[in-house]
Amino acid sequence: MSLLPKDVAKVAHLARLALNEADIPKYSENLTNILGFIEQMNEVDTSHIEPMAHPLDAHQRLRPDVVTEHNQRELFQTLTLHTEAGLYLVPQVIETKIEE
Amino acid sequence: MEWEAVIGLEVHAQLSTQAKIFSGAATAYGAAPNTQACAIDLGMPGVLPVLNQEVVVMAIKFGLGVNAQINKHSVFDRKNYFYPDLPKGYQISQFKQPVVGEGYIDIQLDNGEIKRIGITRAHLEEDAGKSLHEDFSGMSGIDLNRAGTPLLEIVSEPHLRSATEAVAYLKTLHALVRYLGICDGNMQEGSFRCDANVSVRPKNQKELGTRAEIKNVNSFRFVEKAINYEIERQIEILENGGKIVQETRLYDSVRNETRSMRGKEEAHDYRYFPDPDLLPLVFDEALIESIRASLPELPEQKRQRFQAQYGLSAYDAIVLIANQDTAAYFEQVVNQGVSAKLATNWIMGDLAAALNKDGLEINQSPISAEQLAELLKRIEDNTISGKIAKTVFEAMWQGKGSADEVIAAQGLKQVTDTSAIEKVIEEVMAANPEQLADYRSGKDKLFGFFVGQVMKLSKGKANPQQVNDLLKTKLHG
Amino acid sequence: MHTKTIAELIQGLRAKEFSSEELTRCYLDRIKSFDKQVNSFVTITEEQAMQAAKQADKRLSDGTAELLTGVPLAQKDIFCTSGVKTSCGSKMLDNFIAPYDATTVERFNKAGMVMLGKTNMDEFAMGSSNETSYYGPVRNPWDLNRVPGGSSGGSAAAVAARLAPAATGTDTGGSIRQPAALCNLTGLKPTYGRVSRYGMIAFASSLDQGGPMTQTAEDAALLMQVMAGFDQKDSTSVDREVPDYSATLNDSIKGLRIGLPKEYFDEGLEPEVAKLIQAAIQEYEKLGATIHEISLPETKLSVPTYYVIAPAECSSNLSRYDGVRFGYRCENPQNLEDLYKRSRGEGFGAEVKRRIMIGTYALSSGYYDAYYLKAQKLRRIVSDDFRKAFAEVDVIMGPTSPSPAFGLGAKSDPISMYLSDIYTIAVNLAGIPAISIPAGFINGLPIGLQIMGNYFNEAKLLNMAHRYQQVTDWHKKIPAGF
């Protein structure tokens, strides 16, 4: 599988990464090589293998339904200059949001 | 051509926990912006989610309530997309292995028929925050208080055939989640939200038509209107030889129309994969059984019992059981020895109207079930008429005392003494000789006039039945 | 003072040979004198360190001190430190003052250890040479024209140059062990779930694990005693008793079965390195262990497998860096998309962007099964290889890295860089523990021996490492000029 410059642009958009136009051919070459390298995986038949998501065969632990965190807005909002009236500011969201 | 609508609903029910699904921040509604968004809700570097046990219990309760298969092994996935109200750039949800599998609920149609609606699945996920579009010098403001609030997304099969059925299904589901105590059902605050998948097809055709997904329909009334609008829109397009585009549409309640979400047509690629910060959710049959044992009587069981035990019509039973508190109130009134029919009429009539007018819930009613029962018993023992009872009710509502106190204080006790009523009738006849002559010469219609005059003179306290009987005899001379 | 191990520093503090303040001052002075050459620190927390040292001295004199109270330590800049910049080696977090402590940091603070500063690292821990850092490459104290390894290269270089007596690292595909090997240190990557990941900035959540980087196995045991343990803030943390790691360091290893996977000694390994590893294994035979040839057949495929799983997880983990709530935000964004794309495009370096793109691609619609799902299946095969092997042997040994430290800029091609982790990556896929210890030198450059153990067998690894260090002195060597 090769990642042509137009594919790189598509993936970069999906990942919301601005790339310098001039760097795209290099990314295209690098990523194509990496994908080629990754495709060595196809040498092994895995049709009867269960996928493994986690190194440990453990289950999710649960915590009690108790409020433990309290307002730290002031502290957290020292991390950005872009707040007003306690809200984080972003360029106007033009489209009406679809609840996902 | 005759068309048939096919509708499936996706409901997001906000689970009524104290803390969020993956963090210890509070879920209370209406807090100042970002004061209930902790480091985990904000997606700060290095922080990690831990699952709230109560959401698991609530999901199991729901599964039991809809007769569903409960998956003892389920998995949390990440749904990846960028949006300012989604701080991590992904939403934690359940994609391939939801906690609740296939189930169903029965809904009652207008004609009294029961229809079974399939539930495809229900899964746990976290809510996003809110974007506020008021102008902050050309910017949008982001409030992440809601981010991480637990949601149960309930997906129905496309078994619904009309907007009315869709609303009946929603109302049934709404009652169920409130009975289970897993969601407060507050639609205005967004605790119970609905998206509708609507398509139409020629009647008798098997294949489904292309569907549109309608978002943002957040009241029963709007669900009905939005679906009806959408059905008509699609039929019109098809009848004009057009094609339905599979898309997301937004309901505009002001203009009563659905609109295409232009610019959102870029195909989403959510890149779901198992969240490596969370392990599979696993529990045993014993947990399910202990939760089953703790379940309250559910709406469907209660409806059946109310019909059998109190001889109520299906309609009355459905209205009474829609709200657990109303059902409990009803039973308290009936337990005082009041007839079920009279109790039903008053609870669904005058009481509901008064509560509605003052914006109160039934458990905030100034007239308790015991107090209402006392009033209704005075109707049943003929102390007062139904009409006078309304006056008494009004006084009780204003805190002027119990039914007996109001009746005594205002002298509203019904007159049942025959001689006393006869005396009033004689007075009326004497005062209206012309009408009496007309009546006797055949103008039967004037009977009502005499009833009215008698009631007026007795200040409404004369027993209406007795007035009728005695008038008939007297007028005939 | 600066040549002492942690075990020796504990003794010195107890015997009042020096105070924690004197000790801390000594290391801070050394950092000032030598770090210009090495570039191992991103942030030096002088003021906090002196204050912590003062407090430690108080505890030492009033009898409330714990074992490690007063001993200095450097933290990899991937661990969140409250009130202190936590950059993760990235421009993206150059302005990020963490508002909380990582659990590991909290534990060390509670133990009374003195943090000297935050060490340089590959950006978001993605790299094997420490050349991807926003703060410039770290240089290997054994040869300043060579890399220290990565991603915990700053920690490795700092301890190698004795700018700190020990440091923390994190290991996603070898990031503790490989720099430990290249800088002549002892580096332990614990079992997945043994050390809390809370507050440790995520690269690949199912692979990341924090651990100690020290001069000796004895020191590693001391630090592990603090780091290891259950944390309710991390769902993947394991609630399991922590053994006394120091108590078993001197246990006999007589009769212990050592497995040598033939795939770790094939043509990819430099012969000089192979020779040193064989010599180390002979030492173990002398100590009474027995040697068994084993096979880990899919070792080679662990690298491509890893380079799907790690980028896939990182592509999602790094989505939170969007310029909105913290971190780098581009100037004058034209619209929302511009804010996202330029903040991320300008805030991340090339290697991070490459991995985000590979991961995004591997998870995207139509490619998920061929890449991500396939990799998850191979992960099981790789991990089953270990399970089978541990049915026959107690530990597995081999080289940590196929070669000694390479020159700065020598591996400009991503794949040749990725392949330098060929012996370390499988361990992360399986989640087992492994340690790298000094095993000799080639032309003055250190070589590491890797010992892999079964799940939660850290004590055994430390025991094996310690016994070797009792009969060898490679680990005592210090680079000239420091």
Side-chain angles (χ1 to χ4, degrees):
Chain A
M1 185 68 71
S2 63
L3 264 186
L4 301 173
K6 70 171 168 55
D7 303 320
V8 171
K10 216 155 89 186
V11 175
H13 169 69
L14 202 50
R16 298 296 185 274
L17 290 171
L19 303 180
N20 289 329
E21 205 59 41
D23 294 340
I24 290 182
K26 187 75 189 159
Y27 277 114
S28 167
E29 184 197 323
N30 282 158
L31 298 181
T32 298
N33 289 344
I34 295 169
L35 284 180
F37 172 70
I38 285 169
E39 278 158 14
Q40 286 179 56
M41 294 193 306
N42 296 332
E43 291 168 13
V44 180
D45 174 20
T46 53
S47 47
H48 301 293
I49 308 289
E50 272 295 299
M52 172 172 157
H54 257 285
L56 298 175
D57 184 23
H59 303 152
Q60 179 58 36
R61 189 162 30 78
L62 304 173
R63 49 165 244 278
D65 180 27
V66 177
V67 175
T68 54
E69 302 300 314
H70 301 288
N71 179 20
Q72 293 192 78
R73 185 175 82 182
E74 221 169 296
L75 171 64
F76 292 147
Q77 296 197 344
T78 58
L79 297 170
T80 171
L81 300 171
H82 306 274
T83 58
E84 191 177 318
L87 297 159
Y88 290 101
L89 295 187
V90 298
Q92 193 104 49
V93 180
I94 299 162
E95 298 151 332
T96 314
K97 158 74 161 131
I98 307 178
E99 294 286 341
E100 298 290 343
Chain B
M1 191 184 310
E2 231 189 305
W3 298 92
E4 178 180 60
V6 177
I7 303 157
L9 297 184
E10 287 170 20
V11 170
H12 286 90
Q14 180 184 316
L15 298 176
S16 42
T17 53
Q18 298 299 307
K20 293 187 177 172
I21 181 167
F22 297 118
S23 83
T27 55
Y29 181 81
N34 291 309
T35 54
Q36 285 179 177
C38 72
I40 293 167
D41 308 323
L42 293 172
M44 292 265 173
V47 299
L48 295 169
V50 182
L51 184 61
N52 184 334
Q53 66 182 14
E54 200 55 31
V55 306
V56 178
V57 171
M58 288 178 170
I60 295 173
K61 279 185 181 171
F62 178 78
L64 293 170
V66 296
N67 317 291
Q69 182 198 325
I70 293 168
N71 296 323
K72 295 197 232 21
H73 183 283
S74 66
V75 171
F76 287 95
D77 298 286
R78 291 184 181 180
K79 178 180 181 179
N80 295 282
Y81 65 96
F82 286 90
Y83 207 77
D85 65 12
L86 189 71
K88 298 187 295 294
Y90 58 84
Q91 178 193 29
I92 306 176
S93 182
Q94 295 189 302
F95 182 50
K96 282 192 182 150
Q97 299 179 60
V99 62
V100 176
E102 272 181 53
Y104 63 85
I105 50 174
D106 291 335
I107 64 168
Q108 182 143 25
L109 306 181
D110 283 347
N111 61 8
E113 195 187 306
I114 301 287
K115 182 168 178 178
R116 180 157 289 184
I117 306 299
I119 304 275
T120 315
R121 57 183 282 165
H123 65 256
L124 289 166
E125 62 183 27
E126 57 179 345
D127 207 345
K130 278 182 180 163
S131 309
L132 304 169
H133 304 295
E134 292 98 279
D135 201 302
F136 296 98
S137 37
M139 309 284 270
S140 289
I142 308 297
D143 175 9
L144 296 169
N145 279 349
R146 206 181 61 181
T149 300
L151 297 178
L152 188 68
E153 180 173 336
I154 304 154
V155 183
S156 86
E157 291 288 320
H159 288 168
L160 301 157
R161 291 291 172 270
S162 69
T164 323
E165 284 188 22
V167 171
Y169 164 79
L170 265 189
K171 285 188 171 167
T172 310
L173 202 60
H174 188 256
L176 176 67
V177 296
R178 295 181 65 187
Y179 266 64
L180 291 168
I182 64 174
C183 171
D184 68 17
N186 190 323
M187 294 175 89
Q188 262 153 13
E189 291 176 5
S191 308
F192 191 83
R193 314 197 285 264
C194 171
D195 302 331
N197 288 308
V198 180
S199 66
V200 297
R201 63 181 172 192
K203 220 175 167 104
N204 303 324
Q205 178 185 300
K206 263 195 132 173
E207 307 85 75
L208 293 173
T210 306
R211 67 186 162 88
E213 184 176 12
I214 313 170
K215 299 268 185 186
N216 204 26
V217 273
N218 294 329
S219 81
F220 295 129
R221 204 159 56 88
F222 291 158
V223 168
E224 183 155 16
K225 287 179 138 185
I227 292 175
N228 278 331
Y229 174 88
E230 183 61 21
I231 292 171
E232 281 171 35
R233 186 187 72 88
Q234 293 189 12
I235 291 174
E236 197 181 309
I237 291 174
L238 292 170
E239 289 192 334
N240 290 320
K243 264 192 169 171
I244 306 300
V245 183
Q246 180 158 351
E247 62 179 352
T248 302
R249 300 179 67 85
L250 195 69
Y251 179 64
D252 179 340
S253 58
V254 179
R255 295 156 82 170
N256 185 34
E257 61 179 29
T258 64
R259 278 201 305 275
S260 176
M261 305 281 308
R262 269 184 297 274
K264 272 281 176 183
E265 294 318 308
E266 174 197 342
H268 284 293
D269 189 342
Y270 291 125
R271 288 161 284 137
Y272 282 102
F273 76 107
D275 190 329
D277 287 331
L278 292 161
L279 298 166
L281 172 59
V282 176
F283 46 79
D284 57 14
E285 195 62 36
L287 177 68
I288 299 176
E289 286 317 311
S290 76
I291 292 171
R292 193 195 301 277
S294 75
L295 287 185
E297 183 183 32
L298 295 181
E300 180 57 17
Q301 298 162 321
K302 198 177 286 263
R303 179 185 66 78
Q304 288 176 14
R305 181 170 65 82
F306 273 27
Q307 286 186 243
Q309 187 175 339
Y310 302 117
L312 297 178
S313 70
Y315 176 80
D316 286 353
I318 285 174
V319 174
L320 283 176
I321 59 107
N323 179 324
Q324 224 165 356
D325 292 333
T326 309
Y329 191 101
F330 165 80
E331 290 209 279
Q332 283 172 47
V333 173
V334 173
N335 286 343
Q336 303 289 318
V338 177
S339 90
K341 185 64 200 162
L342 186 64
T344 305
N345 289 346
W346 273 80
I347 291 168
M348 285 161 51
D350 294 75
L351 180 66
L355 289 169
N356 191 33
K357 195 170 135 241
D358 289 3
L360 298 175
E361 296 296 325
I362 196 161
N363 54 14
Q364 301 169 305
S365 168
I367 299 177
S368 71
E370 285 72 20
Q371 289 168 329
L372 183 67
E374 184 186 313
L375 172 65
L376 301 188
K377 275 193 275 186
R378 292 300 161 261
I379 299 174
E380 287 182 328
D381 68 11
N382 283 328
T383 306
I384 52 173
S385 67
K387 194 160 175 228
I388 289 289
K390 289 179 191 291
T391 312
V392 179
F393 179 88
E394 188 60 35
M396 290 166 74
W397 190 266
Q398 285 157 14
K400 291 182 181 159
S402 72
D404 285 345
E405 283 162 3
V406 172
I407 291 166
Q410 302 190 15
L412 298 172
K413 192 167 172 353
Q414 183 162 254
V415 179
T416 51
D417 174 353
T418 310
S419 59
I421 296 173
E422 279 177 341
K423 221 181 118 204
V424 177
I425 291 174
E426 279 155 17
E427 270 182 54
V428 168
M429 285 164 65
N432 300 285
E434 280 174 34
Q435 284 87 344
L436 183 62
D438 286 352
Y439 179 81
R440 285 183 172 162
S441 64
K443 275 201 171 178
D444 287 352
K445 277 186 187 165
L446 280 167
F447 186 75
F449 165 78
F450 286 102
V451 172
Q453 292 298 309
V454 172
M455 292 310 286
K456 192 173 166 191
L457 203 62
S458 74
K459 299 200 176 80
K461 289 183 285 182
N463 179 301
Q465 194 55 50
Q466 281 175 294
V467 170
N468 257 299
D469 294 347
L470 292 170
L471 255 181
K472 265 180 198 152
T473 330
K474 287 268 179 191
L475 288 175
H476 283 283
Chain C
M1 218 159 9
H2 71 267
T3 56
K4 289 188 190 308
T5 64
I6 285 184
E8 289 162 352
L9 292 176
I10 291 171
Q11 297 281 323
L13 285 167
R14 288 285 184 291
K16 304 223 182 298
E17 286 169 32
F18 41 79
S19 68
S20 176
E21 275 195 84
E22 286 161 347
L23 187 59
T24 303
R25 174 54 57 205
C26 158
Y27 281 109
L28 288 170
D29 287 346
R30 285 186 59 78
I31 294 169
K32 275 183 208 160
S33 321
F34 295 103
D35 203 40
K36 282 185 280 295
Q37 300 170 57
V38 186
N39 195 29
S40 61
F41 280 86
V42 170
T43 304
I44 301 158
T45 50
E46 177 164 2
E47 213 173 292
Q48 292 100 317
M50 290 313 296
Q51 207 148 23
K54 192 175 271 180
Q55 218 145 30
D57 282 331
K58 217 167 108 202
R59 285 178 74 179
L60 283 160
S61 64
D62 71 13
T64 60
E66 294 176 39
L67 193 59
L68 288 163
T69 302
V71 177
L73 172 82
Q75 292 281 6
K76 184 176 181 180
D77 208 19
I78 199 169
F79 289 98
C80 286
T81 41
S82 183
V84 174
K85 177 166 108 174
T86 302
S87 74
C88 220
S90 182
K91 178 180 180 183
M92 184 58 88
L93 291 178
D94 184 47
N95 61 0
F96 180 67
I97 310 294
Y100 41 81
D101 277 327
T103 297
T104 290
V105 171
E106 198 177 274
R107 283 168 167 262
F108 279 128
N109 286 346
K110 203 168 146 270
M113 290 196 83
V114 175
M115 182 175 83
L116 297 167
K118 308 290 295 287
T119 59
N120 203 345
M121 55 183 283
D122 276 304
E123 185 179 10
F124 282 101
M126 298 177 200
S128 312
S129 68
N130 223 300
E131 292 167 298
T132 71
S133 170
Y134 174 61
Y135 302 96
V138 177
R139 289 161 185 276
N140 191 324
W142 291 94
D143 177 347
L144 295 172
N145 293 315
R146 291 177 187 266
V147 304
S151 65
S152 313
S155 289
V159 180
R162 301 300 190 263
L163 309 184
T168 55
T170 60
D171 191 316
T172 306
S175 284
I176 287 176
R177 291 160 288 157
Q178 184 251 19
L182 271 45
C183 291
N184 203 42
L185 301 181
T186 300
L188 173 65
K189 180 250 169 231
T191 308
Y192 183 84
R194 180 79 286 187
V195 171
S196 170
R197 293 188 299 114
Y198 188 87
M200 191 178 105
I201 298 178
F203 160 17
S205 312
S206 77
L207 301 161
D208 295 342
Q209 188 63 195
M213 302 179 77
T214 54
Q215 300 165 42
T216 63
E218 187 184 16
D219 284 3
L222 290 167
L223 293 195
M224 264 305 278
Q225 210 65 50
V226 179
M227 294 179 89
F230 174 63
D231 180 10
Q232 56 182 12
K233 290 193 272 189
D234 175 0
S235 294
T236 61
S237 166
V238 177
D239 192 359
R240 181 186 171 116
E241 209 187 321
V242 177
D244 182 342
Y245 295 116
S246 299
T248 50
L249 285 175
N250 286 304
D251 283 6
S252 163
I253 59 170
K254 215 171 168 144
L256 223 76
R257 299 164 299 170
I258 298 173
L260 302 182
K262 57 174 190 261
E263 294 80 6
Y264 280 55
F265 294 89
D266 65 8
E267 67 282 3
L269 182 64
E270 285 186 16
E272 296 278 294
V273 179
K275 219 184 287 170
L276 287 172
I277 299 301
Q278 293 297 353
I281 288 161
Q282 276 164 22
E283 259 341 297
Y284 276 104
E285 279 188 287
K286 281 191 222 158
L287 288 166
T290 60
I291 307 300
H292 307 264
E293 183 175 297
I294 60 163
S295 175
L296 298 170
E298 305 307 343
T299 298
K300 200 180 106 200
L301 285 184
S302 63
V303 186
T305 301
Y306 174 90
Y307 278 96
V308 172
I309 290 172
E313 291 184 10
C314 103
S315 72
S316 175
N317 281 337
L318 269 60
S319 291
R320 67 190 62 203
Y321 307 106
D322 59 7
V324 177
R325 299 164 314 287
F326 50 80
Y328 179 78
R329 180 174 177 128
C330 69
E331 293 289 332
N332 301 318
Q334 299 304 298
N335 52 46
L336 186 62
E337 191 170 299
D338 191 42
L339 169 70
Y340 284 154
K341 287 187 171 176
R342 280 202 292 125
S343 298
R344 293 166 59 74
E346 295 163 15
F348 291 137
E351 179 61 18
V352 170
K353 280 188 267 201
R354 269 196 292 273
R355 296 204 195 185
I356 290 176
M357 285 194 279
I358 286 291
T360 301
Y361 185 76
L363 288 174
S364 67
S365 168
Y367 300 101
Y368 182 90
D369 287 5
Y371 293 103
Y372 187 73
L373 196 64
K374 180 85 186 177
Q376 277 201 326
K377 290 177 168 187
L378 278 165
R379 182 174 190 176
R380 185 169 301 280
I381 295 179
V382 168
S383 151
D384 283 347
D385 279 357
F386 280 112
R387 272 175 214 283
K388 282 175 212 149
F390 285 120
E392 293 165 21
V393 297
D394 299 300
V395 296
I396 297 170
M397 282 188 190
T400 305
S401 178
S403 61
F406 46 91
L408 284 159
K411 297 200 178 187
S412 57
D413 165 44
I415 294 171
S416 70
M417 185 71 86
Y418 297 173
L419 284 169
S420 63
D421 291 335
I422 182 146
Y423 302 130
T424 48
I425 272 176
V427 159
N428 297 79
L429 291 173
I432 58 172
I435 195 167
S436 178
I437 55 173
F441 290 83
I442 298 172
N443 300 326
L445 295 173
I447 290 300
L449 168 73
Q450 182 175 213
I451 316 171
M452 294 163 259
N454 209 342
Y455 296 95
F456 299 100
N457 268 355
E458 286 82 1
K460 179 59 61 193
L461 298 183
L462 290 163
N463 167 220
M464 301 266 325
H466 181 69
R467 291 305 300 257
Y468 179 78
Q469 290 177 348
Q470 297 301 98
V471 294
T472 57
D473 57 5
W474 304 120
H475 62 286
K476 291 180 180 155
K477 306 261 189 256
I478 299 177
F482 294 93

